[in-house]
Amino acid sequence: PELERAEKSRDATRAEMKEYSDLVKQLENFRKEKKNDLQTMADLGEETIFCSAIGKLDMIYVNVGMGFHIEMTVPEAIH
């Protein structure tokens, strides 16, 4: 049982690390391409998806945990 808990915890940590890695790659692509108009889709759950347009990517909000978000520039968020 203890090994299974440790493996589940390890898998969850790896998944979270992959999410952060994917986000950094995406932010670096935005910075390189200097896109100002971004079309995106978001999943709201229960198979409900909505489309949105983002006009500027100068500042983004980063979830730092416990319900707190910090406004940062893209280079700050990457680091």
Side-chain angles (χ1 to χ4, degrees):
E2 194 171 321
L3 177 60
E4 288 176 15
R5 262 186 289 141
E7 287 175 342
K8 285 181 183 178
S9 178
R10 178 202 61 201
D11 293 343
T13 300
R14 283 185 178 169
E16 189 174 346
M17 289 172 62
K18 184 177 180 335
E19 281 185 43
Y20 284 117
S21 176
D22 291 346
L23 178 60
V24 167
K25 287 177 188 174
Q26 192 172 25
L27 290 173
E28 286 173 343
N29 286 338
F30 291 151
R31 187 171 65 172
K32 286 178 189 173
E33 295 176 16
K34 297 188 180 188
K35 285 188 172 183
N36 286 331
D37 290 327
L38 176 67
Q39 301 292 323
T40 186
M41 295 172 63
D43 185 1
L44 298 176
E46 297 296 322
E47 298 180 21
T48 304
I49 297 174
F50 78 97
C51 298
S52 65
I54 301 171
K56 281 181 135 183
L57 287 172
D58 295 341
M59 302 294 281
I60 62 172
Y61 287 92
V62 177
N63 181 348
V64 294
M66 298 192 64
F68 292 98
H69 295 79
I70 298 177
E71 186 177 28
M72 297 180 173
T73 64
V74 172
E76 287 174 331
I78 290 172
H79 296 297

